[in-house]
C-alpha cells in the first residue's frame, strides 16, 4: 500500500515552453503533498508544500510564478514549470502524506526534466 | 537553518562486511530523524526513523540511534548483502508534523559479492 506515482517519468522540452508533472497517490488520500528538486549528487531540496484545496506554500527562493502547483483533489497534485529554461533541468520528486497521524511521507519515483 | 550532513560516497564494501554511514544534523528544537533508501529506478522508501533522543530505529537489520548530545543519527548494519546496494538518505523533520523534510546529499552504497 501507500504508492505514489509520477507522470511522466522523464520529459524533454524546448526553452520557453511549459511542462506539467503529475503526482498521484494511488491507494490513499493525500491531504498534503510536497515537491522536491534534486540536482546531480545533491540532496533533495524542498520546493513547496501543497494542501488539498488551498494555495501551495513555497520555500524561500522558489519562484511561485515559475513553478505552479495545483492540488485539486486528495489524490492529485501537479507541478507546472512555466517558460522553462535549461537551468530548470533537474529531477523533480513528489511525496504525499496520508490522513493518518504518523505523517510518514511516501515518495514518487521522480520525473527527469531536460530543457533544451 | 536546518541541515543534514552525511558522508559522501560511493561506499564500497564486500558482502557480510559491517556498515556505518555517518549522519549529523543541525536543527532548532527536537526534530524527528529518518533514513530513506532509494533503489535504482524507484522512489525513496522509509527505512527507519526515531522521534526523540535515545530512540533507536531499526528495520531489515539496519539500526540508527538518535544521539542528541552529538546531534547524530548514524546508520549501521552488521552484515551487508548485495541487495543492500542503493542510495541512502538521512533526513530530518524539524516541525514534527506534516512538514517537508531536510535531506542530506545521499550516500551511494555498493556491495560487492
Amino acid at each position: 500500500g501507500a504508492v505514489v506515482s509520477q507522470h511522466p517519468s522523464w520529459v524533454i522540452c524546448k526553452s520557453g515552453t511549459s511542462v506539467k508533472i503529475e503526482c498521484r497517490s494511488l491507494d490513499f488520500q493525500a491531504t498534503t503533498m510536497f515537491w522536491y528538486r534534486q540536482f546531480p549528487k545533491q540532496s533533495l531540496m524542498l520546493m513547496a508544500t501543497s494542501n488539498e484545496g488551498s494555495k501551495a506554500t513555497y520555500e524561500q527562493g522558489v519562484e511561485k510564478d515559475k513553478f505552479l502547483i495545483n492540488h485539486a483533489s486528495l489524490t492529485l497534485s501537479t507541478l507546472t514549470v512555466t517558460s522553462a529554461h535549461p537551468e530548470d533541468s533537474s529531477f523533480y520528486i513528489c511525496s504525499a502524506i496520508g490522513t493518518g497521524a504518523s505523517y510518514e511521507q511516501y515518495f514518487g519515483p521522480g520525473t527527469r526534466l531536460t530543457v533544451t | 537553518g536546518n541541515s543534514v550532513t552525511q558522508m559522501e560516497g560511493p561506499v564500497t564494501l564486500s558482502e557480510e562486511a559491517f556498515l556505518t554511514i555517518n549522519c549529523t544534523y543541525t536543527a532548532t528544537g527536537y526534530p524527528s530523524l529518518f533514513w530513506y533508501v532509494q533503489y535504482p529506478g524507484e522512489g525513496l522508501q522509509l527505512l527507519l526513523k526515531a522521534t526523540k533522543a535515545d530512540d533507536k530505529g531499526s528495520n531489515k537489520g539496519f539500526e540508527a540511534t538518535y544521539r542528541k548530545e552529538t546531534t547524530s543519527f548514524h546508520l549501521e548494519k552488521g552484515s551487508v548483502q548485495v541487495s543492500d546496494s542503493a542510495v541512502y538518505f538521512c533526513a530530518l523533520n524539524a516541525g514534527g508534523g506534516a512538514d517537508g523534510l531536510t535531506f542530506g546529499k545521499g550516500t551511494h552504497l555498493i556491495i560487492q559479492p
Side-chain angles (χ1 to χ4, degrees):
Chain A
V3 178
V4 175
S5 70
Q6 284 184 238
H7 178 80
S9 55
W10 59 272
V11 58
I12 301 173
C13 70
K14 294 185 177 181
S15 286
T17 62
S18 296
V19 61
K20 181 185 287 187
I21 302 170
E22 294 184 347
C23 175
R24 292 182 186 272
S25 56
L26 298 185
D27 50 3
F28 67 101
Q29 293 185 324
T31 52
T32 303
M33 288 183 167
F34 302 92
W35 287 95
Y36 295 86
R37 182 173 178 176
Q38 185 179 27
F39 294 98
K41 299 186 178 180
Q42 299 288 328
S43 62
L44 283 74
M45 302 297 294
L46 179 66
M47 298 175 66
T49 302
S50 85
N51 292 294
E52 187 265 338
S54 61
K55 289 184 179 180
T57 302
Y58 291 82
E59 295 299 301
Q60 191 173 8
V62 177
E63 300 175 59
K64 30 181 97 170
D65 293 333
K66 176 167 207 45
F67 298 100
L68 301 179
I69 292 172
N70 184 279
H71 191 163
S73 78
L74 284 172
T75 58
L76 173 65
S77 176
T78 60
L79 168 67
T80 301
V81 183
T82 62
S83 187
H85 290 281
E87 57 265 31
D88 299 326
S89 298
S90 193
F91 197 57
Y92 293 89
I93 301 173
C94 73
S95 69
I97 290 179
T99 53
S102 71
Y103 300 118
E104 180 174 342
Q105 292 190 28
Y106 300 97
F107 285 81
T111 296
R112 171 76 60 193
L113 169 64
T114 302
V115 183
T116 61
Chain B
N2 303 317
S3 67
V4 175
T5 302
Q6 63 182 103
M7 59 193 295
E8 303 273 339
V11 172
T12 303
L13 296 172
S14 297
E15 204 165 20
E16 299 183 1
F18 184 86
L19 167 71
T20 300
I21 300 178
N22 290 335
C23 171
T24 57
Y25 68 90
T26 302
T28 54
Y30 302 95
S32 295
L33 302 174
F34 306 84
W35 276 100
Y36 282 85
V37 58
Q38 185 175 34
Y39 299 103
E42 299 183 15
L44 275 73
Q45 301 172 27
L46 179 63
L47 180 60
L48 53 85
K49 67 179 181 182
T51 57
K52 62 183 187 296
D54 299 325
D55 266 3
K56 177 186 283 187
S58 61
N59 185 25
K60 299 181 181 180
F62 291 90
E63 293 183 339
T65 301
Y66 188 144
R67 301 286 188 200
K68 188 171 184 297
E69 63 276 14
T70 55
T71 61
S72 65
F73 193 55
H74 304 322
L75 182 68
E76 296 182 336
K77 186 174 184 181
S79 177
V80 293
Q81 306 299 314
V82 172
S83 57
D84 294 326
S85 298
V87 181
Y88 292 81
F89 292 90
C90 185
L92 69 83
N93 178 335
D99 295 331
L101 299 174
T102 300
F103 283 89
K105 291 188 177 181
T107 301
H108 187 191
L109 175 65
I110 301 169
I111 307 301
Q112 297 177 330

